[in-house]
Amino acid sequence: MAVDFRFIIIGRGMMGAAAARHLSSMADGIALIGPREPEERKAHHGVFASHYDEARITRTFDGNLAWGTFAARALDRYREIEAKSGISFYSEVGCLFAGPEKDEQDYIERALTVSRTLGSDIETIAPSELGQRFPYLAVAADFTGYFERKRAGYINPRALVRAQAKLAEQGGVSLIEATATSVRDAGSHVEVTAGDKIYSAERVLVAAGGFSNLHALLPRPVDIRVMARTVAFYEIGEREMAIFGDMPSTIVLGDREEDHIYILPPVRYPDGKTYLKLGGDTEALSFDRLEDAGAWFRSDGSAAERDHLSRVALQLMPELAGCPVTSAPCVANFTPTGYPYAGFTQSPRIAVLTGGNFVAAKSSDELGRLGAVLLAEGQLGEADFGGALTPVLTAA
């Protein structure tokens, strides 16, 4: 039978929009289905996305070769995407890792090895010099720094998604502003219900992030944990800008991986104010129902986690004392493999791209490219770490 589209991508977030852009250079007959960001978050009762923000850390320094490679490939395309779309989203301010050598050495050694493989330039900063180079940061005297000056900093995820969608549309992709609620393999084709319409396609890529399992989008759910995350915002004034204005993106390593803290430099937000943002990875709240995930996104996050982050922030950056503090919700979806999923489900016509594992924003353009290759060619090769990206499905 004739289909409406050759390929449909579900999810207008960072991975889905990137997949649509890349696929537009490989094929015709493509649709990208997904709603825009809601104007009133707390009054919205549909799906959400975690890119509703102004800053995400980007860097190639990583203890895992696959994740480092995904980041480097994406980062090397940022300027081209900016130039072609006319939308700026990348600030190359560098990224600093700091931590006690005795606790971080295994990760750091792996990250330095990966960096050499990727051709990244990482400067090691001795504990005696760290405070002089980065005076905004108050850490213990035994902390060593690892500074990636080039190919690192932060991206504006909202702007990146706008750029990807703009280029996808220029490449012939049909943008459909609707929420997909059902995907069905009809045998010879796939049917996607979005709003009050049904669209047909030869193949479908579900790139709905933490909401991939929360509608009937997949023949069988994938094995992911959708976890609550809270971010804290410090409102920055002129005095604080003089101290923090030139800081790089920063990751402070703790005794355990979940104790790591990430810090974004001061960034101006749509309300006209400038905020320094930080977050962690300690919360245990998870969601497996659409209603619960929606309620979380309509909240201000966890007050307990906000208070925890505030205590950490004042220990690391005492000059923030007295700044107003607010918080916001986010979610992260984790896979048991530690890698994103980019592969077909038990249906050869329905593929899935999800599983950011709390580190995928910087790599989203490359992950989107992998999703596009998957739809166009039907598989991923080992140069793209295809074997590691095979989706794990839940029990029937």
Side-chain angles (χ1 to χ4, degrees), residues 357-373:
N357 287 276
F358 208 36
V359 293
K362 64 185 181 298
S363 306
S364 60
D365 184 67
E366 173 61 10
L367 297 179
R369 186 190 71 83
L370 298 182
V373 171

Side-chain angles (χ1 to χ4, degrees), residues 12 29 69 111 191 243 258 344 362:
R12 195 170 168 172
T69 301
E191 295 180 349
I243 299 169
E258 57 266 34
F344 282 89
K362 64 185 181 298

